[in-house]
Amino acid sequence: MIVENLNKIKASLVEGVELIAVSKTKPASDIQTLYDAGQRAFGENKVQELVDKFETLPKDIEWHLIGHLQSNKVKYIAPFVHLIHAVDSFKLLQEINKEAKKCNRIIPCLLQFHIAQEDTKFGFSFEEAQEMLDTKEFVELQNVAIHGVMGMASFTEKEENVREEFQTLHNYFQLIKSHYFKFNPEFKELSMGMSGDYKIAMEEGSTMVRVGSTIFGSR
Ligand SMILES: *Cc1c(COP(=O)(O)O)cnc(C)c1O
């Protein structure tokens, strides 16, 4: 059943869009089933759960941390995490840099922006991100690589609101690309879209969708 769901989602993706299968709260056996069907990118939102699953599952899985990350937990995922989606402060980025250096790695990260109306969602404002990107301290970080931006739209039935929020994020992506990463081909990801809104997100330029419940069932 979950393989069927996975294949349905894959068939609906716009060309070039990457699917992150969001497996949070779901058992390792479900992940193994999708792995056997060819899926390699999985997303988790809790550090402990991510570490536990990393330890038991095949080592060529690409693990995406999609949820809020506390600085004091970076060390647990630094050796293996594939992409950190929700960097929302300079302090966190510094910590990722420090732990990446210890592992002799450069860790790919996305900057999370606050685009939703709800104030419960984490993320930079555009001004806050600019402020950080302008500092010498940011430029000096050697062990993190900013690969793009991420955001979550409002949880609402109003499609126009969701679409506008995704357009805002796409606009931030382009502004930041042209000001700070113009000659950096690594800065190319626009992580937006979940089960309820990934089709709208793809219409608005998403390169990476994070889909959980439509594949694994409700949590
Ligand atoms: C849980 C989660 C998702 C997936 O949500 P679904 O609605 O189950 O597809 C995507 N992104 C983030 C940041 C999440 O926490």
Side-chain angles (χ1 to χ4, degrees):
M1 196 54 194
I2 60 174
V3 172
E4 236 174 77
N5 296 341
L6 175 76
N7 289 335
K8 255 189 232 158
I9 298 275
K10 276 165 67 179
S12 71
L13 294 181
V14 168
E15 199 186 325
V17 174
E18 187 183 3
L19 172 64
I20 315 303
V22 176
S23 46
K24 61 188 187 196
T25 79
K26 299 298 176 181
S29 56
D30 279 4
I31 299 174
Q32 184 69 51
T33 300
L34 296 190
Y35 177 92
D36 294 338
Q39 179 67 18
R40 290 295 177 272
F42 292 90
E44 291 284 336
N45 70 338
K46 295 218 164 73
V47 167
Q48 187 60 56
E49 192 177 342
L50 176 55
V51 170
D52 290 346
K53 287 173 173 171
F54 165 74
E55 282 169 358
T56 54
L57 285 156
K59 288 296 172 282
D60 61 337
I61 287 180
E62 296 173 353
W63 291 106
H64 293 246
L65 187 76
I66 60 172
H68 182 67
L69 175 58
Q70 287 173 293
S71 295
N72 61 354
K73 295 192 175 162
V74 173
K75 57 178 177 285
Y76 302 114
I77 59 166
F80 68 90
V81 71
H82 183 76
L83 178 63
I84 298 176
H85 286 237
V87 174
D88 61 358
S89 73
F90 184 57
K91 177 176 167 268
L92 175 59
L93 201 58
Q94 281 178 302
E95 186 64 21
I96 297 169
N97 188 72
K98 189 180 103 193
E99 294 299 328
K101 193 168 186 171
K102 285 187 198 165
C103 305
N104 202 14
R105 291 190 67 199
I106 295 172
I107 297 183
C109 295
L110 304 179
L111 302 179
Q112 181 178 13
F113 283 88
H114 183 271
I115 53 168
Q117 257 126 44
E118 295 113 80
D119 47 40
T120 51
K121 286 177 183 160
F122 296 100
F124 287 105
S125 68
F126 187 71
E127 291 70 28
E128 287 165 346
Q130 258 185 320
E131 227 172 78
M132 176 182 81
L133 294 165
D134 281 330
T135 62
K136 175 164 112 321
E137 289 77 11
F138 170 78
V139 177
E140 283 169 359
L141 298 178
Q142 297 286 314
N143 292 78
V144 289
I146 308 298
H147 281 200
V149 306
M150 176 270 206
M152 290 168 84
S154 297
F155 188 70
T156 169
E157 294 293 310
K158 293 186 190 131
E159 184 182 320
E160 265 325 293
N161 291 13
V162 170
R163 189 177 294 283
E164 272 171 32
E165 290 167 4
F166 286 148
Q167 285 167 352
T168 298
L169 187 61
H170 194 168
N171 188 32
Y172 291 170
F173 170 84
Q174 281 172 328
L175 288 169
I176 290 172
K177 172 83 185 161
S178 64
H179 278 81
Y180 303 98
F181 299 97
K182 197 169 182 177
F183 302 107
N184 183 348
E186 283 184 338
F187 187 94
K188 62 180 171 55
E189 304 296 356
L190 188 43
S191 169
M192 60 186 194
M194 313 180 12
S195 289
D197 57 21
Y198 79 98
K199 287 184 180 163
I200 305 172
M202 289 192 300
E203 286 166 10
E204 299 306 332
S206 174
T207 65
M208 219 174 232
V209 293
R210 311 175 308 268
V211 178
S213 47
T214 301
I215 299 172
F216 292 97
S218 59
R219 289 179 295 271

